[in-house]
Amino acid sequence: MKRISIGLIGCGRIGERHAEHIAATTGLHLAAVCDIDLIKVRSLADTHDAKAYTDVQTLLDAHPEIDLLAICTPNGLHAPISIAALRAGKHVLCEKPMALTAVDALDMIATSLSAQRHLIVVKQNRFNPPVIALRKALLEGRLGRVLNVHLNCFWNRNPAYYTDGWRGTLDMDGGTLFTQFSHFIDLMLLLVGDVEHVEAMGGNLNHQGSIRFEDSGAVALRFASGAIGAISYTVNSHQRNMEGSITLFGEHGTVKVGGQYLNTLDYQCISGEPIVLTELGNAANNYGTYQGSMSNHGLVYENVLDVMTKDATITANMYDGLRTVELIERIYAAMERTGGRSQGLQ
């Protein structure tokens, strides 16, 4: 079987994670890596016996054999690099968030359709065993109609985290919901469906001088199904991440998937058979001075391989990515109406 040849754009911590999983997945080959940081790109290239580049177009021109580009750059570069790759005839695997505006996400989708190439979005928390089990219970109707939804995102990102140039900026980072919690937004939409109405408040309460947007927010939602929801989020949890959870209150059951990364089944009370987990999830991604979402990128790449060799269904497609971007934009627009996302910014 022909190996899928991959080019990796962005050699930071998440790029390193991608490279590790590409190397560990039979049927995939990392051919080239690209980053403007010469030290990072040469180090990753040497580790994985790949070619090193500092310019995306040069990489594309030098490697016509590459099948797929994995985009692991700062958020604001996801759209232009994905579009360039698709126009060059490459399939794309794009890290979250898919883009920072719905307009850019729609341009990516249009280019994917025109080029007839896959645009896959990284949503690794969809592979968390408690999330899979909860979704199965919902699809089987075991909770009945969902009445209320509560999403809690309580993490820590200290000022030192934002010293890496692009983090904390509006044009490259985009905001706390984009960079820290877009996975959580995606899972809420996956489990409960589309949102009809949004109200929100936010503010920069503890990161003045570090970030150009909110570090905390409170959001009220009405879903198209009629369910009422709330999102409470912050990166002001003292010293470490505290909780990442979603609680669903249904006619016939209540379930909370929690832990720090939606990785544990914390509570359930269901009229019928209880949810039973048959496996434990992976550990969280460890980025040295902080932790991120679950380390399921290996499963993401297994899905990529199956999509490209067996015509399998994409676990998180470009329309899923668009839905998340659209809702985050609506939340931020609602925040601006109630006093601004950057309250307290100096």
Side-chain angles (χ1 to χ4, degrees):
M1 181 179 71
K2 174 186 176 294
R3 290 191 301 175
I4 302 300
S5 182
I6 297 176
L8 176 64
I9 314 299
C11 299
R13 290 191 176 108
I14 192 62
E16 292 173 354
R17 183 76 59 183
H18 277 248
E20 291 168 4
H21 286 292
I22 292 168
T25 304
T26 301
L28 301 181
H29 168 63
L30 184 59
V33 295
C34 180
D35 198 292
I36 60 173
D37 188 315
L38 278 172
I39 295 175
K40 287 182 179 179
V41 73
R42 287 173 177 169
S43 174
L44 197 63
D46 290 345
T47 300
H48 295 280
D49 194 25
K51 299 294 184 181
Y53 297 90
T54 57
D55 177 74
V56 175
Q57 192 59 53
T58 303
L59 181 153
L60 290 171
D61 292 342
H63 292 274
E65 81 284 1
I66 282 179
D67 302 293
L68 176 140
L69 244 61
I71 313 300
C72 302
T73 63
N75 303 339
L77 298 176
H78 288 179
I81 294 177
S82 294
I83 288 170
L86 292 164
R87 286 175 176 167
K90 311 304 180 186
H91 301 283
V92 167
L93 174 67
C94 183
E95 261 294 345
K96 60 80 184 170
M98 175 179 172
L100 292 181
T101 69
V103 169
D104 282 347
L106 286 167
D107 283 346
M108 294 165 72
I109 290 172
T111 307
S112 172
L113 295 173
S114 175
Q116 298 183 353
R117 291 295 182 266
H118 294 301
L119 173 54
I120 304 169
V121 184
V122 176
K123 303 282 190 182
Q124 76 269 18
N125 283 5
R126 289 188 173 208
F127 293 99
N128 292 1
V131 171
I132 293 172
L134 175 55
R135 190 176 184 217
K136 181 174 184 290
L138 286 169
L139 292 173
E140 292 172 349
R142 292 162 59 192
L143 273 66
R145 183 167 57 95
V146 175
L147 309 172
N148 303 97
V149 184
H150 289 267
L151 181 64
N152 291 334
C153 311
F154 307 145
W155 281 10
N156 170 273
R157 291 294 182 269
N158 61 36
Y161 168 84
Y162 294 102
T163 60
D164 191 9
W166 66 273
R167 291 194 180 103
T169 64
L170 280 171
D171 60 339
M172 286 292 122
D173 184 319
T176 300
L177 287 179
F178 279 120
T179 300
Q180 273 70 53
F181 301 130
S182 62
H183 285 306
F184 296 70
I185 299 292
D186 168 68
L187 293 178
M188 182 184 69
L189 291 170
L190 177 69
L191 294 171
V192 188
D194 291 329
V195 172
E196 189 175 80
H197 184 73
V198 177
E199 297 290 343
M201 293 186 295
N204 183 353
L205 308 179
N206 198 40
H207 289 77
Q208 292 86 356
S210 297
I211 64 177
R212 307 299 300 177
F213 43 73
E214 88 296 350
D215 63 12
S216 304
V219 186
L221 308 166
R222 182 185 296 277
F223 290 81
S225 65
I228 299 296
I231 305 171
S232 180
Y233 71 94
T234 185
V235 288
N236 292 327
S237 178
H238 188 59
Q239 293 188 345
R240 61 177 182 265
N241 295 347
M242 173 185 168
E243 178 179 338
S245 70
I246 187 167
T247 305
L248 303 185
F249 298 87
E251 294 174 302
H252 308 309
T254 300
V255 178
K256 178 180 181 180
V257 172
Q260 293 182 14
Y261 315 98
L262 287 169
N263 58 316
T264 62
L265 182 59
D266 287 358
Y267 177 88
Q268 64 172 315
C269 181
I270 303 175
S271 295
E273 291 294 318
I275 294 173
V276 177
L277 297 183
T278 58
E279 60 179 314
L280 298 175
N282 294 319
N285 283 315
N286 191 326
Y287 299 116
T289 58
Y290 67 97
Q291 287 190 322
S293 294
M294 300 307 297
S295 183
N296 290 326
H297 283 78
L299 297 174
V300 171
Y301 274 103
E302 287 180 15
N303 180 240
V304 167
L305 184 62
D306 288 345
V307 167
M308 296 186 65
T309 61
K310 302 176 183 177
D311 199 27
T313 299
I314 297 172
T315 299
N317 61 42
M318 54 194 179
Y319 301 105
D320 298 319
L322 172 63
R323 289 174 80 200
T324 299
V325 173
E326 283 180 327
L327 180 54
I328 293 174
E329 273 198 314
R330 290 171 64 192
I331 291 170
Y332 282 155
M335 282 187 185
E336 293 294 349
R337 293 194 297 268
T338 58
R341 295 171 54 193
S342 55
Q343 178 183 349
L345 183 65
Q346 297 178 353

